[in-house]
Coordinates of all heavy atoms in Angstrom, one line a residue:
M1429 N -60.4 -112.0 -90.0 CA -59.2 -111.8 -89.2 C -58.3 -110.7 -89.8 O -58.0 -110.8 -91.0 CB -58.5 -113.1 -89.1 CG -57.2 -113.1 -88.4 SD -57.6 -113.2 -86.6 CE -55.9 -113.3 -85.9
V1430 N -57.9 -109.8 -89.1 CA -57.1 -108.7 -89.6 C -55.6 -109.2 -89.7 O -55.2 -109.9 -88.9 CB -57.2 -107.5 -88.7 CG1 -56.8 -107.7 -87.3 CG2 -56.5 -106.3 -89.3
K1431 N -55.0 -108.7 -90.8 CA -53.6 -109.1 -91.0 C -52.6 -108.1 -90.7 O -52.9 -107.0 -91.0 CB -53.4 -109.6 -92.5 CG -53.8 -111.1 -92.7 CD -53.4 -111.6 -94.0 CE -51.9 -111.7 -94.1 NZ -51.4 -112.3 -95.4
A1432 N -51.5 -108.4 -90.2 CA -50.4 -107.4 -90.0 C -49.9 -107.0 -91.4 O -49.8 -107.7 -92.3 CB -49.2 -108.1 -89.2
L1433 N -49.5 -105.7 -91.4 CA -48.9 -105.1 -92.6 C -47.5 -105.6 -92.7 O -46.8 -105.8 -91.7 CB -48.9 -103.6 -92.5 CG -50.2 -102.8 -92.6 CD1 -50.1 -101.4 -92.1 CD2 -50.7 -102.9 -94.0
S1434 N -47.0 -105.8 -94.0 CA -45.6 -106.2 -94.1 C -45.1 -105.6 -95.4 O -45.9 -105.1 -96.2 CB -45.5 -107.7 -94.1 OG -46.2 -108.2 -95.2
G1435 N -43.8 -105.7 -95.6 CA -43.2 -105.2 -96.8 C -43.5 -103.8 -97.2 O -43.5 -102.9 -96.3
A1436 N -43.7 -103.6 -98.5 CA -43.9 -102.2 -99.0 C -45.1 -101.5 -98.4 O -45.1 -100.4 -98.2 CB -43.9 -102.2 -100.5
A1437 N -46.2 -102.3 -98.3 CA -47.5 -101.7 -97.6 C -47.2 -101.2 -96.2 O -47.7 -100.1 -95.9 CB -48.6 -102.8 -97.6
R1438 N -46.4 -101.9 -95.5 CA -46.1 -101.5 -94.2 C -45.2 -100.2 -94.2 O -45.4 -99.2 -93.5 CB -45.3 -102.6 -93.5 CG -45.0 -102.3 -92.0 CD -44.4 -103.6 -91.4 NE -44.2 -103.3 -90.0 CZ -43.2 -102.5 -89.4 NH1 -42.4 -101.9 -90.2 NH2 -43.2 -102.4 -88.1
E1439 N -44.2 -100.2 -95.1 CA -43.3 -99.0 -95.2 C -44.1 -97.8 -95.7 O -43.9 -96.7 -95.1 CB -42.2 -99.3 -96.3 CG -41.2 -100.4 -95.8 CD -40.7 -100.1 -94.4 OE1 -40.2 -98.9 -94.2 OE2 -40.6 -101.0 -93.6
N1440 N -45.0 -98.0 -96.7 CA -45.8 -96.9 -97.1 C -46.7 -96.3 -96.0 O -47.0 -95.1 -95.9 CB -46.7 -97.3 -98.3 CG -45.8 -97.5 -99.5 OD1 -44.6 -97.0 -99.6 ND2 -46.3 -98.3 -100.5
A1441 N -47.3 -97.2 -95.3 CA -48.3 -96.8 -94.3 C -47.5 -96.1 -93.2 O -48.0 -95.0 -92.7 CB -48.9 -98.1 -93.6
L1442 N -46.3 -96.5 -92.8 CA -45.5 -95.8 -91.8 C -45.1 -94.5 -92.3 O -45.1 -93.4 -91.5 CB -44.4 -96.6 -91.4 CG -44.7 -97.9 -90.4 CD1 -43.5 -98.7 -90.2 CD2 -45.3 -97.4 -89.2
A1443 N -44.8 -94.4 -93.6 CA -44.3 -93.1 -94.2 C -45.4 -92.1 -94.2 O -45.2 -90.9 -94.3 CB -43.7 -93.4 -95.5
S1444 N -46.6 -92.5 -94.2 CA -47.8 -91.6 -94.3 C -48.1 -91.0 -92.9 O -49.0 -90.1 -92.8 CB -49.0 -92.3 -94.8 OG -49.6 -93.2 -93.8
L1445 N -47.4 -91.4 -91.9 CA -47.6 -90.9 -90.5 C -46.5 -89.9 -90.1 O -45.4 -90.1 -90.6 CB -47.7 -92.0 -89.5 CG -48.7 -93.1 -89.7 CD1 -48.5 -94.1 -88.6 CD2 -50.1 -92.5 -89.6
S1446 N -46.8 -89.0 -89.2 CA -45.7 -88.1 -88.8 C -45.7 -88.1 -87.2 O -46.8 -87.9 -86.6 CB -45.7 -86.8 -89.4 OG -46.7 -86.0 -88.8
G1447 N -44.5 -88.2 -86.7 CA -44.4 -88.1 -85.2 C -44.5 -89.4 -84.5 O -44.4 -89.5 -83.2
W1448 N -44.8 -90.5 -85.2 CA -44.9 -91.8 -84.6 C -43.6 -92.5 -84.7 O -42.9 -92.5 -85.8 CB -46.0 -92.7 -85.3 CG -47.4 -92.1 -85.0 CD1 -48.0 -91.1 -85.7 CD2 -48.3 -92.4 -84.0 NE1 -49.3 -90.8 -85.2 CE2 -49.5 -91.6 -84.2 CE3 -48.3 -93.4 -83.0 CZ2 -50.6 -91.7 -83.3 CZ3 -49.4 -93.6 -82.1 CH2 -50.5 -92.7 -82.3
E1449 N -43.2 -93.2 -83.6 CA -41.9 -93.9 -83.7 C -42.2 -95.4 -83.5 O -43.2 -95.8 -83.0 CB -41.0 -93.5 -82.5 CG -41.6 -93.7 -81.1 CD -40.7 -93.4 -80.0 OE1 -40.0 -92.5 -80.0 OE2 -40.7 -94.2 -79.0
Q1450 N -41.3 -96.2 -84.1 CA -41.5 -97.7 -83.9 C -41.0 -98.0 -82.6 O -40.0 -97.6 -82.1 CB -40.8 -98.4 -85.0 CG -41.4 -98.1 -86.4 CD -40.9 -99.0 -87.5 OE1 -40.9 -100.2 -87.4 NE2 -40.3 -98.4 -88.5
V1451 N -41.7 -98.9 -81.9 CA -41.4 -99.4 -80.6 C -40.3 -100.4 -80.7 O -40.4 -101.4 -81.6 CB -42.6 -100.0 -79.8 CG1 -42.2 -100.5 -78.4 CG2 -43.7 -98.8 -79.7
E1452 N -39.3 -100.3 -79.9 CA -38.2 -101.4 -80.0 C -38.7 -102.7 -79.5 O -39.2 -102.8 -78.4 CB -37.0 -100.9 -79.2 CG -35.8 -100.7 -80.1 CD -34.6 -100.3 -79.3 OE1 -33.9 -101.2 -78.6 OE2 -34.2 -99.1 -79.4
G1453 N -38.3 -103.8 -80.2 CA -38.6 -105.1 -79.7 C -40.1 -105.5 -79.8 O -40.4 -106.6 -79.4
R1454 N -40.9 -104.8 -80.6 CA -42.3 -105.1 -80.7 C -42.8 -104.4 -82.0 O -42.4 -103.3 -82.3 CB -42.9 -104.4 -79.5 CG -44.2 -104.8 -79.2 CD -44.8 -104.2 -78.0 NE -46.2 -104.3 -78.2 CZ -47.2 -103.7 -77.6 NH1 -46.9 -102.9 -76.7 NH2 -48.4 -104.0 -78.0
D1455 N -43.7 -105.0 -82.7 CA -44.3 -104.4 -83.9 C -45.4 -103.5 -83.5 O -46.6 -103.8 -83.6 CB -44.7 -105.4 -84.9 CG -45.0 -104.9 -86.2 OD1 -44.6 -103.7 -86.5 OD2 -45.6 -105.5 -87.1
A1456 N -45.1 -102.3 -83.1 CA -46.0 -101.3 -82.5 C -45.5 -99.9 -82.8 O -44.3 -99.7 -83.1 CB -46.2 -101.5 -81.1
I1457 N -46.4 -98.9 -82.8 CA -45.9 -97.5 -82.9 C -46.4 -96.7 -81.7 O -47.4 -97.0 -81.1 CB -46.5 -96.9 -84.2 CG1 -48.0 -97.0 -84.3 CG2 -45.8 -97.4 -85.4 CD1 -48.6 -96.3 -85.5
R1458 N -45.6 -95.7 -81.4 CA -45.8 -94.8 -80.2 C -45.8 -93.4 -80.5 O -44.9 -93.0 -81.3 CB -44.8 -95.3 -79.2 CG -44.9 -94.5 -77.9 CD -43.8 -94.9 -76.9 NE -44.0 -94.2 -75.7 CZ -42.9 -93.9 -74.9 NH1 -41.7 -94.3 -75.2 NH2 -43.2 -93.3 -73.7
K1459 N -46.6 -92.6 -79.8 CA -46.5 -91.1 -79.9 C -47.0 -90.6 -78.6 O -47.9 -91.1 -78.1 CB -47.4 -90.6 -81.1 CG -47.3 -89.1 -81.4 CD -48.0 -88.8 -82.6 CE -47.8 -87.3 -83.0 NZ -48.4 -87.0 -84.3
I1460 N -46.3 -89.5 -78.2 CA -46.7 -88.8 -76.9 C -47.4 -87.5 -77.3 O -46.7 -86.6 -77.9 CB -45.6 -88.6 -76.0 CG1 -44.9 -89.9 -75.6 CG2 -46.0 -87.9 -74.7 CD1 -43.6 -89.9 -74.8
F1461 N -48.7 -87.5 -77.0 CA -49.4 -86.2 -77.3 C -49.4 -85.3 -76.1 O -49.6 -85.8 -75.0 CB -50.9 -86.5 -77.7 CG -51.1 -87.3 -78.9 CD1 -51.0 -88.7 -79.0 CD2 -51.2 -86.6 -80.2 CE1 -51.2 -89.3 -80.2 CE2 -51.3 -87.3 -81.4 CZ -51.3 -88.7 -81.4
Q1462 N -49.3 -84.0 -76.3 CA -49.3 -83.0 -75.3 C -50.4 -82.0 -75.6 O -50.5 -81.5 -76.6 CB -48.0 -82.4 -75.2 CG -47.9 -81.5 -73.9 CD -46.5 -81.2 -73.5 OE1 -45.6 -82.0 -73.7 NE2 -46.3 -80.0 -72.8
F1463 N -51.2 -81.7 -74.5 CA -52.3 -80.8 -74.6 C -52.2 -79.6 -73.7 O -51.2 -79.6 -72.9 CB -53.6 -81.6 -74.4 CG -53.9 -82.7 -75.4 CD1 -53.4 -84.0 -75.1 CD2 -54.5 -82.4 -76.6 CE1 -53.5 -85.0 -76.1 CE2 -54.7 -83.5 -77.5 CZ -54.2 -84.7 -77.3
R1464 N -53.1 -78.7 -73.8 CA -53.1 -77.5 -73.0 C -53.2 -77.9 -71.5 O -52.5 -77.4 -70.6 CB -54.2 -76.6 -73.3 CG -54.2 -75.2 -72.8 CD -55.4 -74.3 -73.3 NE -56.7 -75.0 -73.1 CZ -57.4 -75.6 -74.0 NH1 -57.0 -75.7 -75.3 NH2 -58.6 -76.1 -73.7
D1465 N -54.1 -78.8 -71.2 CA -54.4 -79.1 -69.8 C -55.1 -80.5 -69.8 O -55.3 -81.2 -70.8 CB -55.3 -78.1 -69.1 CG -56.5 -77.8 -69.9 OD1 -57.0 -78.6 -70.8 OD2 -57.1 -76.7 -69.8
F1466 N -55.6 -81.0 -68.6 CA -56.2 -82.3 -68.5 C -57.5 -82.3 -69.3 O -57.8 -83.3 -69.9 CB -56.4 -82.6 -67.0 CG -57.1 -83.9 -66.8 CD1 -56.5 -85.1 -67.0 CD2 -58.5 -83.9 -66.5 CE1 -57.2 -86.3 -66.9 CE2 -59.2 -85.1 -66.3 CZ -58.5 -86.3 -66.5
N1467 N -58.2 -81.2 -69.2 CA -59.5 -81.1 -69.9 C -59.3 -81.4 -71.4 O -60.2 -82.2 -72.0 CB -60.1 -79.8 -69.7 CG -61.6 -79.8 -70.0 OD1 -62.3 -80.7 -69.6 ND2 -62.0 -78.7 -70.6
A1468 N -58.3 -80.8 -72.0 CA -58.1 -81.1 -73.4 C -57.7 -82.5 -73.7 O -58.1 -83.1 -74.7 CB -57.1 -80.1 -73.9
A1469 N -56.7 -83.0 -72.8 CA -56.3 -84.3 -73.0 C -57.4 -85.3 -72.9 O -57.5 -86.3 -73.7 CB -55.2 -84.7 -72.0
F1470 N -58.3 -85.1 -71.9 CA -59.3 -86.1 -71.6 C -60.4 -86.0 -72.8 O -61.0 -87.0 -73.2 CB -60.0 -85.9 -70.2 CG -60.7 -87.2 -69.8 CD1 -60.0 -88.3 -69.3 CD2 -62.1 -87.2 -69.9 CE1 -60.7 -89.4 -69.0 CE2 -62.8 -88.4 -69.6 CZ -62.1 -89.5 -69.1
G1471 N -60.6 -84.8 -73.3 CA -61.6 -84.6 -74.4 C -61.1 -85.4 -75.6 O -61.8 -86.1 -76.3
F1472 N -59.8 -85.4 -75.9 CA -59.2 -86.1 -77.0 C -59.4 -87.6 -76.7 O -59.8 -88.4 -77.6 CB -57.6 -85.8 -77.0 CG -56.8 -86.7 -77.8 CD1 -56.7 -86.6 -79.2 CD2 -56.0 -87.7 -77.2 CE1 -55.9 -87.5 -80.0 CE2 -55.2 -88.5 -77.9 CZ -55.1 -88.4 -79.3
M1473 N -59.1 -88.1 -75.5 CA -59.2 -89.5 -75.1 C -60.7 -89.9 -75.3 O -61.0 -91.1 -75.8 CB -58.8 -89.8 -73.7 CG -57.3 -89.6 -73.6 SD -56.7 -89.7 -71.9 CE -56.7 -91.4 -71.6
S1474 N -61.6 -89.1 -75.0 CA -63.1 -89.4 -75.1 C -63.4 -89.6 -76.5 O -64.1 -90.5 -76.9 CB -63.9 -88.4 -74.5 OG -63.6 -88.1 -73.1
R1475 N -62.9 -88.7 -77.3 CA -63.3 -88.8 -78.8 C -62.6 -90.0 -79.4 O -63.3 -90.8 -80.2 CB -62.6 -87.5 -79.5 CG -63.2 -87.3 -80.8 CD -62.9 -85.9 -81.2 NE -63.5 -85.7 -82.5 CZ -63.3 -84.6 -83.3 NH1 -62.5 -83.6 -82.8 NH2 -63.8 -84.5 -84.5
V1476 N -61.4 -90.3 -79.0 CA -60.7 -91.6 -79.5 C -61.5 -92.8 -79.0 O -61.6 -93.8 -79.7 CB -59.3 -91.6 -79.1 CG1 -58.6 -92.9 -79.5 CG2 -58.5 -90.4 -79.8
A1477 N -61.9 -92.8 -77.7 CA -62.6 -93.9 -77.2 C -63.8 -94.4 -78.0 O -64.1 -95.5 -78.2 CB -63.0 -93.6 -75.7
L1478 N -64.6 -93.3 -78.4 CA -65.7 -93.6 -79.2 C -65.4 -94.3 -80.5 O -66.0 -95.2 -81.0 CB -66.5 -92.3 -79.5 CG -67.1 -91.6 -78.2 CD1 -67.9 -90.3 -78.6 CD2 -68.2 -92.5 -77.6
L1479 N -64.3 -93.8 -81.1 CA -63.8 -94.4 -82.4 C -63.3 -95.9 -82.1 O -63.6 -96.8 -82.9 CB -62.6 -93.6 -83.0 CG -62.0 -94.2 -84.3 CD1 -63.0 -94.3 -85.4 CD2 -60.7 -93.5 -84.6
A1480 N -62.6 -96.0 -81.0 CA -62.1 -97.3 -80.6 C -63.2 -98.3 -80.4 O -63.1 -99.5 -80.9 CB -61.3 -97.2 -79.3
E1481 N -64.3 -97.9 -79.8 CA -65.5 -98.8 -79.7 C -66.1 -99.1 -81.1 O -66.5 -100.3 -81.3 CB -66.5 -98.2 -78.8 CG -66.1 -98.4 -77.3 CD -66.2 -99.8 -76.9 OE1 -67.2 -100.3 -76.5 OE2 -65.1 -100.4 -76.9
K1482 N -66.2 -98.1 -81.9 CA -66.8 -98.3 -83.2 C -65.9 -99.2 -84.0 O -66.5 -100.1 -84.7 CB -66.8 -96.9 -83.8 CG -67.9 -96.8 -85.0 CD -68.1 -95.4 -85.3 CE -68.4 -95.2 -86.8 NZ -68.5 -93.8 -87.1
M1483 N -64.6 -99.2 -83.9 CA -63.7 -100.0 -84.7 C -63.4 -101.3 -84.0 O -62.8 -102.2 -84.6 CB -62.4 -99.2 -84.9 CG -62.4 -98.1 -85.9 SD -60.7 -97.3 -85.9 CE -59.7 -98.6 -86.6
D1484 N -63.8 -101.4 -82.8 CA -63.4 -102.6 -82.0 C -61.9 -102.7 -82.0 O -61.3 -103.8 -82.3 CB -64.1 -103.9 -82.4 CG -63.9 -105.0 -81.4 OD1 -63.7 -104.7 -80.2 OD2 -63.8 -106.2 -81.8
H1485 N -61.3 -101.6 -81.9 CA -59.8 -101.5 -81.9 C -59.3 -100.5 -80.9 O -59.7 -99.3 -81.0 CB -59.3 -101.1 -83.3 CG -57.8 -101.3 -83.5 ND1 -57.3 -102.6 -83.5 CD2 -56.8 -100.4 -83.7 CE1 -56.0 -102.4 -83.7 NE2 -55.7 -101.1 -83.8
H1486 N -58.5 -100.9 -79.9 CA -58.3 -100.2 -78.7 C -56.8 -99.8 -78.5 O -56.0 -100.6 -78.6 CB -58.9 -100.9 -77.5 CG -60.4 -101.1 -77.6 ND1 -60.8 -102.3 -78.2 CD2 -61.5 -100.4 -77.2 CE1 -62.1 -102.3 -78.3 NE2 -62.6 -101.1 -77.6
P1487 N -56.6 -98.5 -78.2 CA -55.2 -98.1 -78.0 C -54.7 -98.5 -76.6 O -55.5 -98.7 -75.7 CB -55.2 -96.6 -78.0 CG -56.7 -96.3 -77.6 CD -57.5 -97.4 -78.1
E1488 N -53.4 -98.7 -76.5 CA -52.8 -98.8 -75.2 C -52.3 -97.4 -74.9 O -51.7 -96.7 -75.7 CB -51.5 -99.7 -75.2 CG -51.8 -101.0 -75.7 CD -50.6 -101.9 -76.0 OE1 -49.5 -101.6 -75.4 OE2 -50.6 -102.7 -76.9
W1489 N -52.7 -96.8 -73.7 CA -52.3 -95.4 -73.5 C -52.2 -95.2 -72.0 O -52.7 -95.9 -71.2 CB -53.3 -94.4 -74.2 CG -54.8 -94.6 -73.9 CD1 -55.4 -95.4 -73.0 CD2 -55.9 -94.0 -74.6 NE1 -56.8 -95.2 -73.0 CE2 -57.1 -94.4 -74.0 CE3 -55.9 -93.1 -75.7 CZ2 -58.3 -93.9 -74.5 CZ3 -57.1 -92.7 -76.2 CH2 -58.3 -93.1 -75.6
F1490 N -51.5 -94.1 -71.7 CA -51.2 -93.7 -70.3 C -51.3 -92.2 -70.3 O -50.6 -91.5 -71.1 CB -49.7 -94.2 -70.1 CG -49.3 -93.9 -68.6 CD1 -49.8 -94.6 -67.5 CD2 -48.4 -92.9 -68.5 CE1 -49.4 -94.3 -66.2 CE2 -47.9 -92.6 -67.1 CZ -48.4 -93.3 -66.1
N1491 N -52.1 -91.8 -69.4 CA -52.4 -90.3 -69.3 C -51.8 -89.8 -68.0 O -52.1 -90.3 -66.9 CB -53.8 -90.1 -69.5 CG -54.2 -88.7 -68.9 OD1 -55.1 -88.6 -68.1 ND2 -53.7 -87.6 -69.5
V1492 N -51.0 -88.7 -68.0 CA -50.8 -87.9 -66.8 C -51.1 -86.5 -67.1 O -50.4 -85.9 -68.1 CB -49.3 -88.1 -66.4 CG1 -49.0 -87.2 -65.2 CG2 -48.9 -89.5 -66.1
Y1493 N -52.0 -85.9 -66.5 CA -52.4 -84.5 -66.7 C -52.7 -84.2 -68.2 O -53.7 -84.6 -68.7 CB -51.5 -83.5 -66.0 CG -52.0 -82.1 -66.1 CD1 -53.2 -81.7 -65.6 CD2 -51.1 -81.1 -66.6 CE1 -53.7 -80.4 -65.6 CE2 -51.6 -79.7 -66.7 CZ -52.9 -79.4 -66.2 OH -53.3 -78.1 -66.3
N1494 N -51.7 -83.5 -68.8 CA -51.9 -83.0 -70.1 C -51.2 -83.9 -71.2 O -51.2 -83.5 -72.4 CB -51.5 -81.5 -70.3 CG -50.0 -81.4 -70.2 OD1 -49.4 -82.2 -69.5 ND2 -49.4 -80.4 -70.7
K1495 N -50.7 -85.0 -70.8 CA -49.9 -85.9 -71.7 C -50.7 -87.2 -71.9 O -51.2 -87.8 -70.9 CB -48.5 -86.1 -71.2 CG -47.6 -84.9 -71.3 CD -46.2 -85.3 -71.3 CE -45.3 -84.1 -71.4 NZ -44.8 -83.6 -70.0
V1496 N -50.7 -87.6 -73.1 CA -51.3 -89.0 -73.4 C -50.2 -89.7 -74.3 O -49.9 -89.4 -75.3 CB -52.6 -88.9 -74.2 CG1 -53.2 -90.3 -74.3 CG2 -53.6 -88.0 -73.6
D1497 N -49.7 -90.8 -73.6 CA -48.6 -91.6 -74.2 C -49.4 -92.8 -74.9 O -49.9 -93.7 -74.1 CB -47.7 -92.0 -73.1 CG -46.5 -92.8 -73.6 OD1 -46.5 -93.4 -74.7 OD2 -45.5 -92.9 -72.9
V1498 N -49.3 -92.8 -76.2 CA -50.1 -93.9 -76.9 C -49.3 -94.9 -77.6 O -48.3 -94.5 -78.3 CB -51.0 -93.1 -78.0 CG1 -51.8 -94.2 -78.8 CG2 -51.9 -92.1 -77.4
T1499 N -49.6 -96.2 -77.5 CA -49.0 -97.2 -78.3 C -50.1 -97.9 -79.1 O -51.1 -98.3 -78.5 CB -48.3 -98.2 -77.4 OG1 -47.2 -97.6 -76.7 CG2 -47.6 -99.4 -78.2
L1500 N -49.8 -98.1 -80.3 CA -50.8 -98.8 -81.1 C -50.2 -100.1 -81.8 O -49.1 -100.1 -82.3 CB -51.3 -97.9 -82.3 CG -52.0 -96.6 -82.0 CD1 -52.3 -95.8 -83.2 CD2 -53.3 -96.9 -81.2
S1501 N -50.9 -101.1 -81.7 CA -50.6 -102.4 -82.3 C -51.9 -103.2 -82.4 O -52.9 -102.9 -81.7 CB -49.5 -103.2 -81.6 OG -50.0 -103.9 -80.6
T1502 N -51.9 -104.2 -83.2 CA -53.1 -105.1 -83.4 C -52.8 -106.4 -82.7 O -52.0 -107.2 -83.2 CB -53.4 -105.2 -84.9 OG1 -53.7 -103.9 -85.4 CG2 -54.7 -106.1 -85.1
H1503 N -53.3 -106.6 -81.6 CA -53.0 -107.8 -80.8 C -53.4 -109.1 -81.6 O -52.6 -110.1 -81.6 CB -53.8 -107.8 -79.4 CG -53.6 -106.5 -78.8 ND1 -54.6 -105.7 -78.2 CD2 -52.4 -105.7 -78.6 CE1 -54.1 -104.6 -77.7 NE2 -52.8 -104.6 -77.9
D1504 N -54.6 -109.0 -82.2 CA -55.1 -110.2 -83.0 C -54.2 -110.6 -84.1 O -54.2 -111.7 -84.6 CB -56.5 -109.9 -83.5 CG -57.5 -109.7 -82.4 OD1 -57.2 -110.1 -81.3 OD2 -58.6 -109.2 -82.7
A1505 N -53.4 -109.6 -84.6 CA -52.5 -109.9 -85.8 C -51.1 -110.0 -85.3 O -50.2 -110.2 -86.2 CB -52.7 -108.7 -86.8
D1506 N -50.9 -109.7 -84.1 CA -49.5 -109.7 -83.5 C -48.6 -108.8 -84.3 O -47.5 -109.1 -84.7 CB -49.0 -111.1 -83.5 CG -47.8 -111.3 -82.5 OD1 -47.8 -110.5 -81.6 OD2 -47.0 -112.2 -82.7
G1507 N -49.1 -107.6 -84.6 CA -48.3 -106.6 -85.3 C -49.1 -105.4 -85.7 O -50.2 -105.1 -85.1
L1508 N -48.6 -104.6 -86.6 CA -49.2 -103.4 -87.1 C -50.2 -103.7 -88.2 O -49.8 -104.5 -89.1 CB -48.2 -102.4 -87.6 CG -47.6 -101.4 -86.7 CD1 -46.7 -100.5 -87.6 CD2 -48.6 -100.6 -85.9
S1509 N -51.4 -103.2 -88.1 CA -52.3 -103.4 -89.2 C -52.9 -102.1 -89.7 O -52.6 -101.0 -89.1 CB -53.5 -104.3 -88.7 OG -54.4 -103.5 -88.0
E1510 N -53.7 -102.1 -90.7 CA -54.4 -100.9 -91.3 C -55.2 -100.2 -90.2 O -55.3 -99.0 -90.2 CB -55.3 -101.3 -92.3 CG -54.7 -101.5 -93.7 CD -54.0 -100.3 -94.3 OE1 -54.3 -99.1 -93.7 OE2 -53.2 -100.4 -95.2
R1511 N -55.7 -101.0 -89.2 CA -56.4 -100.4 -88.2 C -55.6 -99.5 -87.3 O -56.1 -98.4 -86.9 CB -57.0 -101.5 -87.2 CG -58.1 -102.3 -87.9 CD -58.7 -103.3 -87.0 NE -59.5 -104.2 -87.8 CZ -60.1 -105.3 -87.3 NH1 -60.0 -105.6 -86.0 NH2 -60.8 -106.0 -88.1
D1512 N -54.4 -99.8 -87.1 CA -53.5 -98.9 -86.3 C -53.2 -97.6 -87.1 O -53.1 -96.6 -86.5 CB -52.1 -99.6 -86.0 CG -52.4 -100.9 -85.2 OD1 -53.0 -100.8 -84.1 OD2 -52.1 -102.0 -85.6
I1513 N -53.0 -97.8 -88.3 CA -52.7 -96.6 -89.2 C -53.9 -95.7 -89.2 O -53.9 -94.5 -89.1 CB -52.4 -97.0 -90.6 CG1 -51.2 -98.1 -90.6 CG2 -52.0 -95.8 -91.5 CD1 -50.0 -97.6 -90.0
K1514 N -55.1 -96.2 -89.3 CA -56.3 -95.5 -89.3 C -56.5 -94.8 -88.0 O -56.9 -93.5 -88.0 CB -57.6 -96.4 -89.6 CG -58.8 -95.6 -89.6 CD -60.0 -96.6 -90.0 CE -61.3 -95.8 -89.9 NZ -62.5 -96.6 -90.1
M1515 N -56.3 -95.5 -87.0 CA -56.4 -94.8 -85.6 C -55.3 -93.7 -85.4 O -55.7 -92.7 -84.8 CB -56.4 -95.9 -84.5 CG -56.5 -95.3 -83.2 SD -57.2 -96.4 -82.0 CE -58.9 -96.4 -82.4
A1516 N -54.2 -94.0 -85.8 CA -53.1 -93.0 -85.7 C -53.5 -91.7 -86.4 O -53.3 -90.6 -85.9 CB -51.8 -93.6 -86.3
K1517 N -54.1 -91.9 -87.6 CA -54.4 -90.7 -88.4 C -55.6 -89.9 -87.7 O -55.6 -88.7 -87.8 CB -54.8 -91.1 -89.8 CG -53.5 -91.5 -90.7 CD -53.8 -91.7 -92.1 CE -52.5 -91.9 -92.8 NZ -52.6 -92.6 -94.0
A1518 N -56.5 -90.6 -87.2 CA -57.6 -90.0 -86.5 C -57.1 -89.2 -85.3 O -57.4 -88.0 -85.0 CB -58.6 -91.0 -86.0
M1519 N -56.1 -89.8 -84.5 CA -55.6 -89.2 -83.4 C -54.8 -87.9 -83.8 O -55.0 -86.8 -83.2 CB -54.6 -90.1 -82.7 CG -55.3 -91.2 -81.9 SD -54.1 -92.2 -81.0 CE -55.2 -93.2 -80.0
D1520 N -54.1 -88.0 -84.8 CA -53.3 -86.9 -85.3 C -54.3 -85.7 -85.7 O -53.9 -84.5 -85.5 CB -52.4 -87.2 -86.5 CG -51.2 -87.9 -86.1 OD1 -50.9 -88.0 -84.9 OD2 -50.6 -88.6 -87.0
A1521 N -55.4 -86.0 -86.3 CA -56.3 -85.1 -86.8 C -57.1 -84.4 -85.6 O -57.4 -83.2 -85.7 CB -57.4 -85.7 -87.7
W1522 N -57.1 -85.1 -84.5 CA -57.9 -84.5 -83.3 C -57.0 -83.9 -82.3 O -57.5 -83.3 -81.3 CB -58.7 -85.6 -82.7 CG -59.8 -86.2 -83.6 CD1 -60.4 -85.5 -84.6 CD2 -60.4 -87.4 -83.6 NE1 -61.3 -86.2 -85.2 CE2 -61.5 -87.4 -84.6 CE3 -60.4 -88.5 -82.8 CZ2 -62.2 -88.5 -84.8 CZ3 -61.2 -89.7 -83.0 CH2 -62.1 -89.7 -84.0
A1523 N -55.7 -84.1 -82.4 CA -54.8 -83.6 -81.3 C -54.6 -82.1 -81.4 O -54.7 -81.6 -82.5 CB -53.5 -84.3 -81.4
Ligands
H2B1110 C1 -62.4 -109.8 -79.3 C2 -62.1 -108.4 -79.9 O1 -62.5 -108.3 -81.2 C3 -60.7 -108.1 -79.9 O2 -60.0 -108.5 -78.7 C4 -60.4 -106.7 -80.3 C5 -60.5 -105.6 -79.3 N1 -59.6 -104.5 -79.4 C6 -58.4 -104.6 -80.0 N2 -57.6 -103.7 -80.0 C7 -56.3 -103.9 -80.5 N3 -55.5 -102.8 -80.4 N4 -56.0 -105.0 -81.1 C8 -56.8 -106.0 -81.2 O3 -56.4 -107.0 -81.8 C9 -58.1 -105.9 -80.6 N5 -59.0 -106.8 -80.8

């Protein structure tokens, strides 16, 4: 069972990310990615989808044309976990 990050570990993990904001009223992080066009946005989503399946960890996201609005949290832990941090970093690397 994956555990939610707390205390210093949580602070350090969040500090290692850039462009992600904490969602109000919920232990989750959010970032809006913008791409050249739909093709680039969907390519990004396809790549992330493969990682999500591999990790058994899935983003909440909303796509309109070239924008992908992503929220990450770990439902099983009812909060942010290492899995969200790992996924956020992969997304940042591929955007
Ligand atoms: C049963 C299965 O392991 C779970 O429901 C997985 C699937 N994907 C998931 N994705 C996310 N974001 N959080 C989870 O807790 C989670 N759990």
Side-chain angles (χ1 to χ4, degrees):
M1429 180 78 172
V1430 60
K1431 275 192 65 174
L1433 288 164
S1434 64
R1438 186 175 183 284
E1439 290 312 310
N1440 290 338
L1442 287 174
S1444 73
L1445 299 177
S1446 74
W1448 292 84
E1449 60 173 41
Q1450 294 189 58
V1451 176
E1452 239 181 80
R1454 194 182 158 194
D1455 195 14
I1457 51 174
R1458 178 183 183 210
K1459 185 169 180 175
I1460 301 174
F1461 292 92
Q1462 187 161 332
F1463 298 89
R1464 190 177 58 253
D1465 53 20
F1466 177 75
N1467 197 44
F1470 202 76
F1472 167 79
M1473 292 174 77
S1474 302
R1475 200 165 177 188
V1476 172
L1478 294 177
L1479 174 68
E1481 278 295 276
K1482 200 165 146 185
M1483 286 177 65
D1484 191 29
H1485 191 67
H1486 302 85
E1488 299 168 33
W1489 53 15
F1490 180 73
N1491 162 240
V1492 178
Y1493 185 56
N1494 65 334
K1495 292 201 178 95
V1496 186
D1497 184 342
V1498 179
T1499 297
L1500 298 177
S1501 80
T1502 301
H1503 312 133
D1504 295 342
D1506 201 24
L1508 269 185
S1509 75
E1510 280 296 348
R1511 292 185 191 173
D1512 300 303
I1513 307 303
K1514 182 176 174 184
M1515 180 153 284
K1517 286 186 173 161
M1519 287 185 169
D1520 284 344
W1522 294 337

